[in-house]
Amino acid sequence: MVNDPGNRNGGCCCGAVRFEISADPVLVELCHCKTCRRASGAPVMAMAGIPVAGFRFVAGEPGRFASSPGVTRSFCALCGTSLTLYSEAFPGEIYVSICSLDDPEALAPEIHIWTSDRLGWFETADELPRYRRFLADGV
Ligand SMILES: [Zn+2]
Ligand SMILES: [Zn+2]
């Protein structure tokens, strides 16, 4: 059920890393940027921006790497699942891959960002607003 906090926990594919979400998302987005594509191995990454105090790892210790200056991503060091993104540009939020939730339907994307990097063969028919880069940059 949408907006049921009980459905917002998640983890990686192999189960070694688990997390809990206890706050409402600030924003749920589909990111088409090249870095999300590489990090996830998928055409887009669906992510929820969660206030940092409302997110915690509860099992396992994820691997981390800097995917761009000021941006740290976490992943399961055993199975490779992309889990989170933290950007110094958005210091109050941690972005969580909603496809790593136990119930990915609990949080639905609201916008597309970084459509300037969208793959030509990947198009969706939803009516969500689209931004060439970040929401804050405008359309
Ligand atoms: Zn794993
Ligand atoms: Zn991205």
Side-chain angles (χ1 to χ4, degrees):
M1 187 171 72
V2 174
N3 295 327
D4 178 352
N7 287 337
R8 291 183 185 169
N9 299 331
C12 66
C13 191
C14 78
V17 179
R18 296 285 302 166
F19 59 78
E20 288 180 358
I21 293 173
S22 59
D24 288 329
V26 175
L27 182 67
V28 186
E29 63 195 18
L30 292 164
C31 186
H32 295 256
C33 85
K34 292 173 183 167
T35 317
C36 282
R37 190 154 67 229
R38 269 272 162 88
S40 64
V44 292
M45 225 176 147
M47 290 189 292
I50 305 294
V52 290
F55 176 89
R56 66 189 184 109
F57 287 107
V58 293
E61 182 60 33
R64 291 183 171 85
F65 72 104
S67 59
S68 1
V71 177
T72 302
R73 292 178 190 259
S74 75
F75 60 96
C76 174
L78 284 176
C79 72
T81 303
S82 273
L83 296 170
T84 67
L85 176 158
Y86 177 79
S87 171
E88 291 172 5
F90 304 97
E93 298 147 30
I94 184 160
Y95 281 79
V96 181
S97 166
I98 61 175
C99 289
S100 65
L101 297 179
D102 296 336
D103 178 10
E105 302 221 49
L107 298 174
E110 301 161 297
I111 61 171
H112 293 260
I113 63 169
W114 279 98
T115 59
S116 56
D117 281 357
R118 180 178 64 82
L119 291 172
W121 50 254
F122 185 80
E123 183 59 287
T124 56
D126 63 71
E127 301 294 323
L128 301 176
R130 292 166 187 242
Y131 299 88
R132 287 186 52 78
R133 295 188 51 190
F134 294 113
L135 173 61
D137 298 328
V139 175

